[in-house]
Amino acid sequence: MSVTKPLGYLDIGQLIKDSKGLVESVIFDSGAYRVGKGKYDVEDLGEGNYKISVAGSKRNNPHIIVSQKIPITYQTIAFIGLYIGDGAKASSGRGSGRISFSQRETNLTNFVRSQFVNIFGPTISFTHRVNEDALYFLTNEGREKMSELRKKMRSGGQQIPEESEILFSLQQELADIESQLPSSTKRALDNYRAKPNLWRRHRNHLVEFFMTRKYMAEFLRLQKLMEFETLGITIGDQDKISVNIRLPGVKGSREEGKSSRSDELDVNGLAPFRPILLRILSDVEDSILKNKKEVIVKGARDPWIKWNVTPQSGGHLVIDNAAYIENASSVQYVTPSGRVNRLVIQEVNDKKITLSKPRSRIHFSVPVKITITPLLALFIGLYLAEGNTSKDKIFKFFREPTSGLVIGFTGSEASTIEVCIRAMEKIFLDEQGRIETWRIKIGTKYFSEAAAIGNKLGAVVLRRGEKGQGSASGLEIVEHVRDWSLEVIPVLQEVKGAFDHLEYTGAGIPRVDVFYNNTAAPYLFALMRDLIVEPELLENYQAETNE
Amino acid sequence: MLKSLIANRFDVEIQDENHIVAAHQSFFGTTDILKSTQKYFSKRLQEIVQDLGQGHTIFITYIFHTLIGYLVTHPTIDKEASSVLKKYLKSIRDERGGYFPIHEEFKKQFPKLGISQNTPIVSEIYSSYYGFWTNQLLGQDHTNDDIDGILTWLIACQQTSGLIYSREYSNTMEERRFESEKAAQLYYAVDLMVRLPKFLNDFDLEISLNDAREWVLSNFTSLRTVTARYFAFKALLLISPNEVCNLGIEELMGFLKDRLSKEDDGYYDYRLEDKFDESMSSRSYTSDDINSSHVFSSFYALALIELSNEICGGKTKAPNKAIRSLIEKSRNDDGGFGHHVFIKSFPTPFGPDTTDLETLLVTLLPLLDIA
């Protein structure tokens, strides 16, 4: 099958041997260099497998069992894009570090989980973490849900206090509860107390938080299980679920009743091999951006990454776009009023198909045949991580009423933005494939640096919006920050004139948001969704094989 | 005009050209830096005049600092350059009396700029300060109506807190406005209020100035940046010089000492632990954050030490000679000065290195009495 046929191979054993056992990796992410370094031994187990273990490790002998030739499929590449976008890359400083993927959408989590197993073998296991702010439950509706849950737990035979006892426990003093807390929780509470706004707003919730958070956790654990079941996913012996309920208002929406849930997939048993993972991410992305068919360790002879196709132009899957657009069940969209629409083909010639939404004058063009290249697969993974469209919409827009299908993505790394821009240019043949506008956002943690620019110039930081979260109006600073972005992300020079504004918003490092016209969203998101969830569906529209 | 402007804004007295040469020789042990800034400002002025002549737009911020830098290091400005500048200044004059930061044509450089095409460019306090004094430097006087307009507008910009800022470019609530903006704009407004009435006698600004004074006295020690402290101090110095010693000079000296860099004896504008996340209402920084001492914050710190010593009889010594290492570090290939701002490990410095203001401050630094 074309969609699962390897586009290339990874040979981790070759990497380790050519590196004389010392694998180093550097990946630039979120404004910092994530460095990895680890020493490994490789053992040929026969039957096409390696055992890779941490060199010199006396305790527990951490190891993984991997194929000698790990196939790089479209899914592997999309996984790499997803992890570059949403995966944890920071280290503890010793080379080891948490391997974790942050994603709320269950299809994606399941996809990433399966790819980890495909690459790193059967020795790894998974913890599905669910994090939520206690404020979500601290409303009448939330309390009602807890009460219902406790009722079910009692009827299931669990020893749960009666509601009257629960209510009575809420009348305790915080100081009495605090004295019984473990020291780590006491420290967290001390840090909480040191934030005046938080303490003032939410101290009255704290007793209820400590007395009922185990029920909040159980509620979310069951919810997570149900999400897997709905998609037909079975959580096996390799998996466990862990729930963390945060102290009220620490981060997220910070409003009673509003969810700030975030989910993470922790990969257990892989932390010592983090440098290898980071090396795979950086070298695969780099080979695609540079269009190199082989990646060889410096001074060595044989490649440890080998592509069978040219990364930016080759691929086994070539889609007949007209057939795909007219017939695929995913290439449609459901309007908020419930009407099911398909894109309309306005014109076809031997090179391109011109499309529009029904009754729309905005047209866009795609090639008659589109080769799904490693570049496109990487873009799909990156987009699913960093795209501005909420992920649940991408997986349901073709069957449920959905609004707000926007095409745009956010990043602060030159490589990520370049992959996305180049891929869009290949997918679309006209203005649709070009950025309409882009903007820069600077988070609160870096306001001091923005003010420093102003002070260097003798200008002042000015911004719109009552809370200052609107666009920046101190124009000297806007101009310099724009110029900085153009240096950090050189590909944006091609769209310099499309710069829209600077915003002081959120909390993070300066990052760029790029926006495209949204008309082609149903087509683009159908491609993304199908490649991840139902790749065999794309096979039905195979035009011909390439290379 | 130039000498009094420099004395007021930058706290240094220039006697004549020889004075500045001797001061550089004494402070740096060489006049290379002065020659470098001389060349820099010559080139900058030429660029500005050329760009304006070709119909481009330039921020008044840059024109103001470049013009002063040029005039400090050159005897006069040629007639043609002066004429081009005057014409541009006319084009950025607000009918109400202030000055725009830049000409409306600027919007064409940013066709999709979020200050939408329907939103006019309006005057701001800092740009009005720069515009007004640039015009005065060029020998272009203001009419009584101009002055009437500016002062009326400034009075209208005063908030109940005593601060003076406009809400046209920024309607952000006061608690969220950056302290360096609040203090600097207060200073610029107070400067115009205090010094303009010499031209016109029928404005009673006593209440406005008193409210501004109250703000400084009440808020000075809560300001966390050197820049904000500097401008607040100078605002009070203009309004009520006898009261600056009431700001707490010992506390101020301790504040400055806490911001002295061990590496180069320059001054940070803020300490890392003072980085404030306004959404969390708490301090917030990471181990990847890099703080740098800067020319502007170092100059302002030294100026505060000088003024405090002079007015309040302080005896604080400043690391004046050692600060040379900061100046050397801030020297750039274009002949100008200014140290990088870094965000984490981004390889490219955030914003400009050289700036006209900082190059001017390096030019004037040896003239601070503390040097």
Side-chain angles (χ1 to χ4, degrees), chain B residues 2-280:
Chain B
L2 175 70
K3 285 182 185 177
S4 73
L5 177 62
I6 289 177
N8 281 311
R9 170 65 185 90
F10 298 108
D11 318 298
V12 302
E13 306 280 345
I14 299 182
Q15 292 159 16
D16 53 37
E17 203 183 308
N18 292 333
H19 175 208
I20 195 168
V21 170
H24 267 255
Q25 184 65 48
S26 166
F27 187 86
F28 290 118
T30 174
T31 55
D32 278 354
I33 287 176
L34 180 63
K35 285 176 188 156
S36 184
T37 63
Q38 194 174 28
K39 263 194 204 155
Y40 173 84
F41 283 118
S42 187
K43 189 163 164 248
R44 272 296 281 148
L45 185 67
Q46 200 176 19
E47 278 167 6
I48 286 173
V49 167
Q50 202 166 359
D51 280 347
L52 291 177
Q54 288 169 359
H56 298 307
T57 57
I58 311 270
F59 287 101
I60 186 61
T61 309
Y62 306 154
I63 295 175
F64 174 79
H65 294 113
T66 296
L67 183 62
I68 293 180
Y70 182 84
L71 289 172
V72 163
T73 53
H74 297 76
T76 52
I77 178 175
D78 80 51
K79 276 194 182 145
E80 199 194 313
S82 177
S83 164
V84 167
L85 290 172
K86 283 177 187 173
K87 188 178 167 195
Y88 181 70
L89 282 163
K90 237 182 182 167
S91 73
I92 60 169
R93 179 93 64 96
D94 187 335
E95 282 172 358
R96 299 172 300 178
Y99 286 82
F100 309 144
I102 194 160
H103 193 273
E104 280 246 358
E105 282 287 300
F106 174 75
K107 289 198 284 190
K108 288 193 180 148
Q109 291 179 32
F110 297 92
K112 293 181 189 278
L113 192 61
I115 288 187
S116 72
Q117 300 303 318
N118 295 326
T119 306
I121 300 275
V122 295
S123 46
E124 248 297 350
I125 291 174
Y126 77 98
S127 55
S128 296
Y129 170 92
Y130 292 145
F132 182 88
W133 290 117
T134 303
N135 245 344
Q136 294 293 121
L137 276 179
L138 291 169
Q140 191 149 262
D141 281 333
H142 293 79
T143 65
N144 286 352
D145 281 346
D146 292 337
I147 291 167
D148 183 78
I150 293 179
L151 291 176
T152 307
W153 175 58
L154 289 175
I155 292 167
C157 285
Q158 188 158 41
Q159 312 296 320
T160 50
S161 62
L163 280 170
I164 305 174
Y165 54 80
S166 166
R167 291 181 64 75
E168 287 185 277
Y169 269 116
S170 169
N171 58 341
T172 304
M173 62 174 137
E174 192 163 293
E175 306 86 85
R176 291 274 175 111
R177 295 180 90 101
F178 285 30
E179 63 170 47
S180 51
E181 184 243 329
K182 291 191 283 198
Q185 300 253 65
L186 182 71
Y187 167 76
Y188 295 132
V190 163
D191 177 276
L192 291 171
M193 282 176 161
V194 165
R195 293 164 65 203
L196 290 190
K198 290 191 178 68
F199 299 101
L200 194 68
N201 290 319
D202 56 357
F203 262 95
D204 183 359
L205 298 162
E206 197 179 319
I207 295 174
S208 295
L209 291 172
N210 191 54
D211 288 347
R213 165 192 161 273
E214 288 278 357
W215 184 88
V216 175
L217 287 168
S218 306
N219 291 279
F220 189 76
T221 52
S222 69
L223 299 172
R224 284 185 292 252
T225 60
V226 171
T227 302
R229 290 254 186 153
Y230 172 76
F231 280 112
F233 185 103
K234 282 175 56 77
L236 186 64
L237 188 62
L238 277 169
I239 303 168
S240 179
N242 296 335
E243 286 191 285
V244 292
C245 303
N246 297 346
L247 291 172
I249 299 306
E250 205 176 306
E251 186 274 340
L252 175 59
M253 293 303 113
F255 169 91
L256 292 174
K257 197 174 172 195
D258 260 351
R259 283 147 185 81
L260 187 60
S261 160
K262 288 182 176 49
E263 286 174 14
D264 53 27
D265 287 317
Y267 286 84
Y268 302 119
D269 197 35
Y270 54 86
R271 300 169 306 179
L272 268 183
E273 57 261 44
D274 291 329
K275 281 187 70 170
F276 191 77
D277 184 337
E278 65 180 29
S279 60
M280 292 292 291

Side-chain angles (χ1 to χ4, degrees), chain A residues 118-386:
Chain A
N118 286 350
I119 298 172
F120 293 104
T123 61
I124 59 178
S125 64
F126 301 92
T127 303
H128 301 264
R129 293 194 188 281
V130 181
N131 308 298
E132 179 61 283
D133 191 319
L135 282 179
Y136 172 61
F137 295 101
L138 298 175
T139 60
N140 289 338
E141 197 185 322
R143 292 179 183 104
E144 191 53 44
K145 282 180 190 164
M146 297 301 98
S147 184
E148 283 300 314
L149 173 67
R150 285 190 289 267
K151 205 169 150 185
K152 279 193 188 132
M153 290 166 83
R154 282 183 210 107
S155 57
Q158 292 190 56
Q159 297 291 330
I160 306 293
E162 292 300 323
E163 292 306 300
S164 54
E165 285 178 74
I166 303 273
L167 274 171
F168 183 73
S169 74
L170 300 185
Q171 288 164 38
Q172 292 180 80
E173 292 295 326
L174 179 61
D176 295 333
I177 297 170
E178 195 174 347
S179 60
Q180 293 163 47
L181 294 173
S183 51
S184 57
T185 314
K186 278 184 189 164
R187 274 196 302 275
L189 190 54
D190 283 339
N191 285 341
Y192 190 82
R193 202 180 261 119
K195 295 182 167 78
N197 268 5
L198 269 185
W199 184 253
R200 183 171 34 87
R201 269 194 232 137
H202 302 302
R203 62 195 292 186
N204 294 335
H205 287 314
L206 290 176
V207 171
E208 189 175 358
F209 166 76
F210 285 115
M211 291 294 105
T212 62
R213 66 174 165 164
K214 62 184 168 199
Y215 306 114
M216 299 174 190
E218 179 62 11
F219 180 89
L220 287 172
R221 190 188 73 82
L222 293 172
Q223 193 174 66
K224 184 77 177 175
L225 274 173
M226 202 162 62
E227 285 160 12
F228 281 123
E229 273 171 34
T230 308
L231 291 174
I233 298 165
T234 315
I235 303 294
D237 293 334
Q238 273 176 303
D239 301 84
K240 65 179 187 192
I241 296 177
S242 166
V243 181
N244 172 44
I245 305 290
R246 287 194 299 271
L247 283 158
V250 168
K251 65 176 184 179
S253 63
R254 301 189 179 105
E255 274 182 53
E256 280 96 344
K258 270 204 165 161
S259 175
S260 308
R261 179 173 152 183
S262 64
D263 290 25
E264 292 164 310
L265 175 71
D266 280 2
V267 186
N268 308 314
L270 200 56
F273 305 94
R274 176 181 160 276
I276 295 175
L277 171 64
L278 292 193
R279 192 63 182 268
I280 291 171
L281 301 179
S282 61
D283 284 14
V284 166
E285 185 188 47
D286 190 61
S287 67
I288 292 173
L289 263 176
K290 291 185 177 138
N291 214 17
K292 289 191 309 190
K293 284 182 83 170
E294 288 182 342
V295 179
I296 303 173
V297 171
K298 196 172 170 185
R301 203 188 52 188
D302 297 316
W304 78 275
I305 299 175
K306 187 165 167 55
W307 292 102
N308 301 333
V309 301
T310 308
Q312 291 193 18
S313 54
H316 303 313
L317 188 58
V318 182
I319 297 187
D320 177 340
N321 256 335
Y324 181 60
I325 289 160
E326 283 185 322
N327 301 302
S329 53
S330 51
V331 189
Q332 64 183 31
Y333 61 101
V334 184
T335 65
S337 60
R339 183 164 51 208
V340 178
N341 281 340
R342 296 192 74 91
L343 294 169
V344 175
I345 294 182
Q346 298 289 343
E347 196 184 316
V348 184
N349 62 34
D350 57 350
K351 289 224 164 57
K352 69 179 185 181
I353 303 170
T354 305
L355 301 149
S356 73
K357 284 183 171 171
R359 296 172 297 282
S360 170
R361 284 193 200 152
I362 302 175
H363 295 180
F364 67 94
S365 302
V366 296
V368 166
K369 291 177 196 162
I370 182 165
T371 303
I372 307 298
T373 61
L375 173 68
L376 263 53
L378 183 65
F379 161 65
I380 286 172
L382 285 169
Y383 190 94
L384 287 168
E386 308 273 41

Side-chain angles (χ1 to χ4, degrees), chain B residues 274-292:
Chain B
D274 291 329
K275 281 187 70 170
F276 191 77
D277 184 337
E278 65 180 29
S279 60
M280 292 292 291
S281 301
S282 65
R283 306 224 157 117
S284 174
Y285 68 99
T286 75
S287 55
D288 292 319
D289 288 344
I290 300 173
N291 202 5
S292 300

Side-chain angles (χ1 to χ4, degrees), chain B residues 298-311:
Chain B
S298 302
F299 185 97
Y300 295 157
L302 291 179
L304 281 170
I305 293 173
E306 175 199 81
L307 290 167
S308 304
N309 284 353
E310 188 185 307
I311 300 169

Side-chain angles (χ1 to χ4, degrees), chain A residues 403-449:
Chain A
S403 62
L405 288 179
V406 296
I407 304 178
F409 46 83
T410 301
S412 48
E413 293 79 31
S415 54
T416 306
I417 302 283
E418 187 171 355
V419 165
C420 295
I421 288 175
R422 294 291 171 239
M424 286 292 285
E425 286 168 353
K426 300 267 193 214
I427 297 171
F428 300 103
L429 296 180
D430 52 15
E431 292 300 316
Q432 175 65 65
R434 284 190 272 287
I435 290 172
E436 270 195 339
T437 61
W438 59 281
R439 69 181 179 199
I440 305 159
K441 294 189 293 199
I442 300 178
T444 51
K445 287 182 166 58
Y446 296 97
F447 283 2
S448 304
E449 284 81 351

Side-chain angles (χ1 to χ4, degrees), chain A residues 28 69 88 112 376 400 524 529:
Chain A
F28 188 73
K69 294 265 184 265
V112 164
L376 263 53
E400 288 177 31
L524 182 65
R529 177 257 169 209

